[in-house]
Amino acid sequence: MDNSTPFKIFSGTKSRYIAEEIAANIGVPLGQMNIQRFADGEFEVSFEETVRGREVYLVQSTFPNSDNLMELLLMVDAARRASAKTVVAVVPYFGWARQDRKDKPRVSIASKLVADLLSTAGIDRLITMDLHADQIQGFFNVPVDHLYSSPVIVPYIESLRLEDLVIASPDVGGAKRANSYAKYFHTSLVICHKQRSKANVVDQMTLIGEVEGKDVILIDDMIDTAGTICRAASLMMERGARSVRACASHAIMSGPAFERINESPLNEVIVSNSFPHDMSVCPKVTVLSVAKMFADTICRVHDNRSISSQYVL
């Protein structure tokens, strides 16, 4: 990379696919890093080019397993020790975000802990997308640019030209997010109320609102095992919906997720590329790239320009 380049972009192991696309959109090569792994599972991170006095953008999501979070922490520490001017963590998917409060006795608040770890490691700023809970931004004592996937999802929904659109939330907790889409499309909102006995298991689901004869778009921030959206889709088809699609920012796709989606009445599942999956195993999944959005945000942060144009909703 040329020494005249004002900032450098580096990537962790599992986020290289999106980091390369971000760098290509900006028109700069991806920085050279070496991550050496030892027999016991420990690893060492080193920059293979100078970062002294530069703005450094580290692209790495903290999805499972925990090695990805540890990689990011070591990257931040290495950049700091190499005299980088500023260190910005670019985290398309911020993991551990579902643990944002104490919802029962004697549990940790993991998202606060991760925020503290990144702050202690030495980040100057965080750029992320669709946090599970907006208030996680307050866990950081550095600026947080919280992006949304709506700039890529909304145009895609518009391109479908659905006849009688209705927006739905698969649970009460996501009602605010879904309502933003409903307001934008000037349509009604339907909410599913679910009851769980334990994580990733839905015991009962109730539908609030009318879907008969409607083209339903389910809006959520993430799809994990796909149990909730598939259950919601089945319920809506039973209530007379004409079609059901799901939109989610983060396609975690754990365990039986792909199988459930293939066997469900869902017409389509629309997700971003914040997760590195081979979606060919599930023809119902459409992947939209958010790399250009992150590239534009990096350029705006570098130039001290507003990022307000990134927000559709």
Side-chain angles (χ1 to χ4, degrees), residues 1-310:
M1 186 177 287
D2 193 305
N3 284 337
S4 64
T5 306
F7 58 83
K8 297 189 176 187
I9 300 174
F10 296 89
S11 171
T13 304
K14 294 294 181 67
S15 293
R16 190 174 181 87
Y17 73 100
I18 192 170
E20 289 176 341
E21 194 176 343
I22 290 170
N25 273 280
I26 295 174
V28 298
L30 197 61
Q32 297 300 309
M33 286 197 68
N34 181 44
I35 300 177
Q36 179 182 357
R37 298 186 178 272
F38 302 102
D40 64 351
E42 187 178 321
F43 49 88
E44 176 186 76
V45 170
S46 63
F47 291 93
E48 298 300 298
E49 57 190 78
T50 182
V51 296
R52 185 179 296 274
R54 303 298 181 83
E55 294 176 30
V56 174
Y57 293 84
L58 306 175
V59 181
Q60 176 77 322
S61 289
T62 59
F63 34 61
N65 61 42
S66 300
D67 280 2
N68 296 296
L69 171 59
M70 193 64 188
E71 258 189 36
L72 177 58
L73 293 170
L74 293 179
M75 288 162 66
V76 174
D77 184 64
R80 276 280 164 233
R81 295 179 187 276
S83 301
K85 180 182 177 182
T86 57
V87 180
V88 180
V90 182
V91 185
Y93 172 72
F94 185 88
W96 312 92
R98 282 174 282 188
Q99 301 176 57
D100 63 312
R101 66 196 182 280
K102 286 189 68 173
D103 55 356
K104 59 183 179 181
R106 299 176 295 281
V107 296
S108 67
I109 304 179
S111 52
K112 169 59 175 168
L113 176 59
V114 172
D116 288 344
L117 289 169
L118 287 169
S119 298
T120 300
I123 64 168
D124 295 288
R125 178 183 291 269
L126 172 71
I127 301 175
T128 189
M129 182 182 76
D130 278 309
L131 290 167
H132 186 66
D134 288 346
Q135 64 266 23
I136 292 173
Q137 297 171 74
F139 294 168
F140 289 86
N141 292 321
V142 297
V144 176
D145 294 313
H146 184 205
L147 307 178
Y148 297 94
S149 57
S150 52
V152 296
I153 289 179
V154 165
Y156 185 83
I157 294 175
E158 290 173 333
S159 74
L160 296 174
R161 300 186 181 279
L162 299 173
E163 293 181 24
D164 202 350
L165 176 66
V166 65
I167 300 296
S169 172
D171 54 38
V172 175
K176 181 181 177 182
R177 181 184 301 103
N179 189 51
S180 298
Y181 280 81
K183 284 183 177 179
Y184 180 88
F185 287 106
H186 305 289
T187 187
S188 57
L189 175 67
V190 174
I191 299 174
C192 296
H193 174 62
K194 64 183 180 184
Q195 294 178 322
R196 294 185 187 272
S197 59
K198 59 182 179 179
N200 297 126
V201 177
V202 179
D203 291 327
Q204 186 176 351
M205 183 173 284
T206 306
L207 189 64
I208 304 170
E210 293 296 326
V211 296
E212 187 172 357
K214 304 287 186 179
D215 295 303
V216 182
I217 299 283
L218 281 157
I219 302 292
D220 209 350
D221 66 317
M222 64 176 68
I223 298 174
D224 191 352
T225 62
T228 296
I229 62 160
C230 291
R231 182 83 172 264
S234 297
L235 181 58
M236 289 173 180
M237 292 302 290
E238 289 170 8
R239 296 293 178 87
R242 179 163 46 201
S243 67
V244 183
R245 291 172 173 82
C247 293
S249 303
H250 307 297
I252 301 173
M253 301 299 187
S254 304
F258 286 123
E259 182 181 351
R260 284 175 172 172
I261 290 170
N262 280 329
E263 294 175 355
S264 76
L266 282 163
N267 296 75
E268 186 178 18
V269 176
I270 303 147
V271 299
S272 83
N273 62 338
S274 65
F275 260 75
H277 286 301
D278 177 10
M279 297 301 184
S280 62
V281 298
C282 189
K284 291 186 177 183
V285 176
T286 299
V287 181
L288 306 177
S289 177
V290 292
K292 188 177 184 301
M293 181 177 71
F294 276 97
D296 187 54
T297 301
I298 288 172
C299 291
R300 288 174 178 273
V301 168
H302 167 69
D303 295 335
N304 294 312
R305 289 184 287 142
S306 170
I307 65 168
S308 298
S309 61
Q310 301 287 58

